[in-house]
Amino acid sequence: KKFSESRVGTELRVMAGYRTENWLLGVNPILDWSLSPGHRGSPEVVTAWKASRQVASGLALGAEYYNGLGKLNDRLPGDQQERSLFFVLDVDRKPWVFNVGIGHGLNRASDAWTLKLIFDVPI
């Protein structure tokens, strides 16, 4: 319960973006459903945005913004929405492919600081 009131869930992430030789602009709307008994209903909605610039071969620096809007059928008031801004580094130098970032909450509804690390694991 420290991280989620629901033990079982699923999500749908749609990713769209525009890439040039040096820039990436992307949007990632997320729908997150609780599947645990007593917690089902309308999905939670999060929007994620990204802008990054390649600074060297296989290295990009950028920013990501996350906004937790609440339930699809019951949007939270602005001061209760989780909002965080991340400074990120993307590494794509095979076999090392990962995203690392540090984020800061932009309001009281958000965590003060968050570290994130996403590894690409080929299977």
Side-chain angles (χ1 to χ4, degrees):
K1 290 194 175 194
K2 182 176 181 179
F3 299 104
S4 175
E5 291 185 21
S6 175
R7 294 179 55 93
V8 180
T10 190
E11 66 181 25
L12 172 66
R13 290 178 175 251
V14 178
M15 296 180 188
Y18 175 74
R19 184 185 298 270
T20 67
E21 185 176 332
N22 293 316
W23 285 94
L24 170 67
L25 301 173
V27 62
N28 178 214
I30 304 161
L31 298 174
D32 187 1
W33 285 270
S34 170
L35 300 177
S36 295
H39 294 281
R40 294 186 179 127
S42 181
E44 297 279 338
V45 179
V46 176
T47 56
W49 303 85
K50 179 175 189 155
S52 66
R53 182 167 179 18
Q54 184 170 321
V55 294
S57 178
L59 295 175
L61 292 174
E64 296 176 0
Y65 173 73
Y66 295 85
N67 186 8
L69 300 170
K71 297 272 187 186
L72 183 62
N73 66 347
D74 188 19
R75 188 172 170 170
L76 290 169
D79 63 340
Q80 294 178 25
Q81 295 176 11
E82 293 182 24
R83 296 179 182 175
S84 298
L85 184 63
F86 283 78
F87 175 71
V88 295
L89 169 68
D90 293 309
V91 175
D92 189 356
R93 293 187 171 177
K94 305 281 189 276
W96 300 102
V97 180
F98 61 91
N99 167 280
V100 62
I102 183 166
H104 184 61
L106 302 177
N107 62 8
R108 291 182 185 201
S110 308
D111 293 329
W113 291 97
T114 304
L115 294 174
K116 72 173 193 140
L117 179 59
I118 302 171
F119 277 102
D120 181 271
V121 179
I123 43 177

Coordinates of all heavy atoms in Angstrom, one line a residue, residues 54-60 89-99 120:
Q54 N 20.5 15.4 -29.0 CA 21.7 14.5 -29.0 C 22.9 15.5 -28.8 O 23.0 16.5 -29.5 CB 21.8 13.8 -30.4 CG 22.9 12.9 -30.4 CD 22.9 12.0 -31.7 OE1 21.8 11.5 -32.0 NE2 24.0 11.8 -32.3
V55 N 23.8 15.1 -27.9 CA 25.0 15.9 -27.6 C 26.2 15.2 -28.1 O 27.3 15.8 -28.2 CB 25.1 16.3 -26.1 CG1 23.9 17.2 -25.7 CG2 25.1 15.0 -25.2
A56 N 26.2 13.9 -28.3 CA 27.3 13.1 -28.8 C 26.7 11.9 -29.4 O 25.5 11.6 -29.2 CB 28.3 12.8 -27.7
S57 N 27.4 11.1 -30.1 CA 26.9 9.8 -30.7 C 26.4 8.9 -29.6 O 27.2 8.5 -28.7 CB 28.0 9.2 -31.5 OG 27.6 7.9 -32.0
G58 N 25.1 8.6 -29.7 CA 24.5 7.7 -28.7 C 24.2 8.4 -27.3 O 23.9 7.6 -26.4
L59 N 24.4 9.7 -27.2 CA 24.1 10.4 -25.9 C 23.1 11.5 -26.2 O 23.4 12.4 -27.0 CB 25.4 10.9 -25.3 CG 26.4 9.9 -24.8 CD1 27.6 10.6 -24.3 CD2 25.8 9.0 -23.7
A60 N 22.1 11.6 -25.4 CA 21.1 12.7 -25.5 C 20.8 13.2 -24.1 O 20.6 12.5 -23.2 CB 19.9 12.3 -26.2
L89 N 19.2 11.8 -19.1 CA 20.3 11.4 -20.0 C 19.8 10.1 -20.6 O 19.5 9.1 -19.9 CB 21.6 11.2 -19.2 CG 22.7 10.5 -19.9 CD1 23.2 11.4 -21.0 CD2 23.8 10.1 -19.0
D90 N 19.9 10.0 -21.9 CA 19.6 8.8 -22.7 C 20.9 8.3 -23.3 O 21.6 9.1 -24.0 CB 18.6 9.1 -23.8 CG 17.2 9.4 -23.3 OD1 16.7 8.6 -22.5 OD2 16.7 10.4 -23.7
V91 N 21.2 7.0 -23.0 CA 22.4 6.4 -23.6 C 22.0 5.3 -24.5 O 21.2 4.4 -24.1 CB 23.3 5.9 -22.4 CG1 24.5 5.1 -23.0 CG2 23.8 7.0 -21.5
D92 N 22.5 5.3 -25.7 CA 22.3 4.3 -26.7 C 23.6 3.9 -27.4 O 23.9 4.2 -28.5 CB 21.2 4.7 -27.8 CG 20.8 3.6 -28.7 OD1 21.3 2.5 -28.5 OD2 19.9 3.9 -29.5
R93 N 24.4 3.2 -26.6 CA 25.7 2.7 -27.0 C 25.8 1.2 -26.7 O 26.1 0.8 -25.6 CB 26.8 3.5 -26.3 CG 26.9 4.9 -26.7 CD 28.1 5.6 -26.2 NE 28.3 6.9 -26.7 CZ 29.2 7.7 -26.4 NH1 30.1 7.4 -25.4 NH2 29.3 8.9 -26.9
K94 N 25.4 0.4 -27.7 CA 25.2 -1.0 -27.6 C 26.5 -1.6 -26.9 O 27.6 -1.1 -27.3 CB 25.0 -1.7 -28.9 CG 23.8 -1.1 -29.6 CD 22.5 -1.7 -29.1 CE 21.3 -1.4 -29.9 NZ 20.6 -0.1 -29.8
P95 N 26.4 -2.4 -25.9 CA 25.2 -3.1 -25.4 C 24.5 -2.2 -24.3 O 23.5 -2.6 -23.8 CB 25.8 -4.3 -24.8 CG 27.1 -4.0 -24.3 CD 27.6 -3.0 -25.3
W96 N 25.0 -1.0 -24.1 CA 24.4 -0.2 -23.0 C 23.4 0.7 -23.6 O 23.7 1.6 -24.4 CB 25.5 0.7 -22.3 CG 26.6 -0.2 -21.7 CD1 27.8 -0.4 -22.2 CD2 26.5 -0.9 -20.5 NE1 28.5 -1.3 -21.3 CE2 27.7 -1.6 -20.3 CE3 25.4 -1.0 -19.5 CZ2 27.9 -2.4 -19.1 CZ3 25.7 -1.8 -18.4 CH2 26.9 -2.5 -18.2
V97 N 22.1 0.5 -23.2 CA 21.0 1.3 -23.6 C 20.2 1.6 -22.4 O 19.6 0.6 -21.8 CB 20.1 0.6 -24.7 CG1 19.0 1.5 -25.1 CG2 21.0 0.3 -25.9
F98 N 20.1 2.8 -21.9 CA 19.4 3.1 -20.7 C 19.0 4.6 -20.7 O 19.5 5.4 -21.4 CB 20.1 2.7 -19.5 CG 21.4 3.4 -19.3 CD1 21.5 4.6 -18.6 CD2 22.6 2.9 -19.8 CE1 22.7 5.3 -18.4 CE2 23.8 3.5 -19.6 CZ 23.9 4.7 -18.9
N99 N 18.1 4.9 -19.8 CA 17.6 6.3 -19.5 C 17.7 6.5 -18.0 O 17.3 5.6 -17.2 CB 16.1 6.4 -20.0 CG 15.5 7.7 -19.4 OD1 15.0 7.7 -18.3 ND2 15.3 8.7 -20.3
D120 N 17.4 -1.1 -21.1 CA 16.9 -1.9 -22.2 C 17.6 -3.2 -22.1 O 18.8 -3.3 -22.0 CB 17.3 -1.2 -23.5 CG 16.8 -2.0 -24.7 OD1 17.6 -2.8 -25.2 OD2 15.8 -1.7 -25.2

